[in-house]
Amino acid sequence: MSAQQASASAAGTAPLDVAAIRGDFPILHQQVNGYPLAYLDNAASYQRPRQVIEAITHYYTHDHANVHRGVHVLSQRATDAQEAGREAARRLLNAAERAEIVFTRGTTEAINLVAYALRESLRPGDEILISQMEHHSNIVPWQLACQRTGARLNVVPINARGELELDEFHRRLNARTRLVAMAHVSNALGTVNPVAEITAAAHARGIPVLLDGAQAIAHRKVDVQALGCDFYAFSGHKMCGPTGIGVLYGRREWLERLPPFQGGGDMILSVSFDHTEYNELPYKFEAGTPDVAGAVGLGAAIGYLEGIGLDAIAAHEDALLEHATRAVSALPGVRIIGEAAEKAGVLSFDIEGIHPHDLGTVLDHQGVAIRAGHHCAMPVMDFFHVAGTARASFAFYNTHEEIEQLVAALGVARRMLA
Ligand code: C6P
C-alpha cells in the first residue's frame, strides 16, 4: 500500500486521482529552467484550475455590470453572481447566514477591518492576546490599534517544536483581554493550533476570538459554528481562487456591534449632511464597487475544492508532508523548523551553512519553486535564531514525484553550497 493509500484509508477517504486533478491546472504543465515545474510554494499562493479561470472569463464575457445599483438585467446577473460566491463561502465555513460573510481583499484586510472597528471600544490597559507564531498580518493591525488606544499586546510563547504553549495561553487570558487573535495554521511552521479549545477557554471568560484561517482553509474542513469563533479570515488566492478577494466571517452579533470600516457607496441606506444610516449586514462593511469577478472566482474555487473533498485533500497532503519530512530530514545538516504534533501542508527547514535564499535559487534552477525567507513571521525566525527558512508547502495537486524532485534538488544544492 502506498503512503497516499494508507493515509487515505486511515482517513476513510478514497485516494485522490492526482493525475486527473492536475489536468485541470494548465500552469502546472510547463518546464522551468529545463526541468518539469514542481510548484511547492502553495502557502504563498495556490494555482487555479481552469474551472475558476473559465468562471471569471464567463462572467466578464456575459454578465458584468455594477451590483446592487442597476435595474437592468446585467446588473441583476452581476448581483446574483456575487451573492452566489457569498453563499459558497457561507457553505464552506458553515456560517449560519450569508449576512455573516463580508467580502474583503484578503486575510490581511479582514483582520485590519476588525482591528480598526474594535479601536472605538479599546481602552488603556486592555489587552489583545495573540501568539508568537503569528503572521505579520495578525500582529501589525493590533499594534496599530494598541498605539492609538493605549491597549497592549499580550503574546503567548511557543515551544521548541513550534507549538503554542497552552498553559501560558490559559494563564494569559485575563479580565483585561478584549480579544484573542490566533492563527488556525501557522504559515512558517505548519502548526495546527487547538482552536476549538482556545475558543472555548476564551468564551468561558466572555472574550471574543478571531481566527486567521489563511493557511487552514484549503487544507482542512472548517466549521465556524462548531469552532464557535467570532471571526474567521481567509484569502481566495490561498485556496485556488483569485487574488484580491477574501472573506471575513463574523458572527451577526459582533458585526452588528462593530462600526463600519470604510465609508462610501453601498454601505449606506440613506445619507444627508447631518446623518448617515448604514446598510444591513454584510453591506455595512463593503463600501464601494466590490470585486464581483473575484467573488465569482471564489465561488468556483470553493465548488472545485468541495468536489474533490476536504477530507481527501487533507489525507493526501498529510501523506505528502510525511514523505517530505522523512526524506528532507534524512539529508545531512538539515534542521526542521516546526515539529508540532499536528501540522498541515508546510515543511520549513534550514541547512547548515547555506543561506535559504541561495537554496531557493539553486532549487529554482532545477524547476523547484519554494519560498525562502522570514515568511512574514519575523518573531518566529527570532525564536528559532534563524534569519529565514526554506519552506516547501503542499497542495492537493502535488505529487510524491515532486517531493523526490525536491529532495534530489536539495542534494545538488548541498553539494554546490554547503
Ligand atoms: N502568507 C506566505 O507565503 P494575504 O496576503 O492577505 O492573502 O494573507 C496574509 C496572511 C495572513 N495570515 C497567514 C497565516 C498567512 O500565511 C498570510 C499570507 C503568505 O506565507 C504570504 S506572506
Side-chain angles (χ1 to χ4, degrees), residues 43-44 106-108 135 137 187 212 214-215 235 237-238 371 376 391:
T107 308
T108 303
H135 185 279
S137 291
N187 70 317
D212 171 352
Q215 297 296 345
S235 302
H237 73 100
K238 289 192 198 290
R371 185 168 173 191
C376 302
R391 184 190 69 182

Side-chain angles (χ1 to χ4, degrees), residues 46-380:
Y46 267 62
Q47 300 299 349
R48 283 109 201 87
R50 63 182 162 71
Q51 288 84 342
V52 170
I53 299 166
E54 283 166 7
I56 296 168
T57 305
H58 183 277
Y59 168 73
Y60 277 129
T61 309
H62 299 282
D63 299 329
H64 174 69
N66 212 328
V67 293
H68 303 136
R69 293 184 174 90
V71 289
H72 57 82
V73 168
L74 291 191
S75 174
Q76 193 51 52
R77 278 196 218 146
T79 305
D80 292 348
Q82 187 194 26
E83 292 310 312
R86 198 187 308 274
E87 172 56 21
R90 185 209 64 72
R91 212 173 53 233
L92 181 72
L93 295 175
N94 191 32
E97 45 175 325
R98 235 193 306 160
E100 294 180 323
I101 303 295
V102 176
F103 283 130
T104 64
R105 283 196 299 123
T107 308
T108 303
E109 189 175 68
I111 297 173
N112 274 277
L113 187 162
V114 179
Y116 182 89
L118 216 61
R119 277 184 199 177
E120 268 188 17
S121 56
L122 289 178
R123 302 281 172 268
D126 285 350
E127 292 182 4
I128 306 291
L129 190 60
I130 63 169
S131 86
Q132 200 171 11
M133 73 174 84
E134 300 309 316
H135 185 279
H136 299 164
S137 291
N138 201 26
I139 301 174
V140 185
W142 305 115
Q143 281 176 330
L144 292 170
C146 288
Q147 279 159 16
R148 278 158 186 76
T149 59
R152 65 181 206 93
L153 285 184
N154 193 340
V155 183
V156 182
I158 56 177
N159 64 26
R161 291 186 302 279
E163 296 163 326
L164 195 71
E165 289 278 21
L166 263 183
D167 290 351
E168 275 296 318
F169 166 73
H170 289 289
R171 219 172 54 72
R172 283 161 192 259
L173 269 183
N174 67 64
R176 294 181 303 276
T177 315
R178 292 287 162 265
L179 179 84
V180 172
M182 298 260 170
H184 190 169
V185 174
S186 152
N187 70 317
L189 302 166
T191 308
V192 180
N193 279 320
V195 287
E197 180 180 341
I198 287 170
T199 304
H203 281 184
R205 289 173 163 268
I207 300 164
V209 175
L210 176 146
L211 298 177
D212 171 352
Q215 297 296 345
I217 197 70
H219 302 278
R220 294 280 183 275
K221 249 187 200 152
V222 174
D223 180 334
V224 290
Q225 294 192 73
L227 289 175
C229 59
D230 303 277
F231 302 101
Y232 197 94
F234 72 88
S235 302
H237 73 100
K238 289 192 198 290
M239 49 158 309
C240 297
T243 52
I245 188 138
V247 164
L248 172 69
Y249 157 79
R251 273 204 303 132
R252 174 178 276 281
E253 176 199 337
W254 270 103
L255 292 182
E256 276 175 352
R257 207 186 295 180
L258 294 180
F261 174 42
Q262 294 177 329
D266 254 11
M267 52 76 73
I268 53 86
L269 286 177
S270 70
V271 178
S272 73
F273 289 116
D274 302 323
H275 178 70
T276 290
E277 200 184 335
Y278 305 134
N279 205 343
E280 62 193 26
L281 296 177
Y283 311 111
K284 176 176 127 184
F285 293 102
E286 293 182 354
T289 299
D291 181 359
V292 187
V296 168
L298 184 71
I302 291 170
Y304 186 82
L305 291 182
E306 288 172 335
I308 296 174
L310 277 151
D311 288 336
I313 286 174
H316 177 68
E317 291 174 358
D318 287 350
L320 291 175
L321 181 63
E322 196 271 324
H323 178 181
T325 306
R326 195 170 13 86
V328 173
S329 344
L331 297 171
V334 165
R335 171 187 175 208
I336 305 291
I337 311 275
E339 297 178 293
E342 208 188 330
K343 284 184 64 174
V346 165
L347 182 65
S348 253
F349 57 96
D350 179 50
I351 301 189
E352 203 181 353
I354 306 182
H355 194 283
H357 282 150
D358 296 338
L359 198 59
T361 306
V362 175
L363 260 50
D364 180 54
H365 289 161
Q366 299 169 82
V368 179
I370 62 154
R371 185 168 173 191
H374 55 64
H375 315 300
C376 302
M378 283 183 169
V380 173

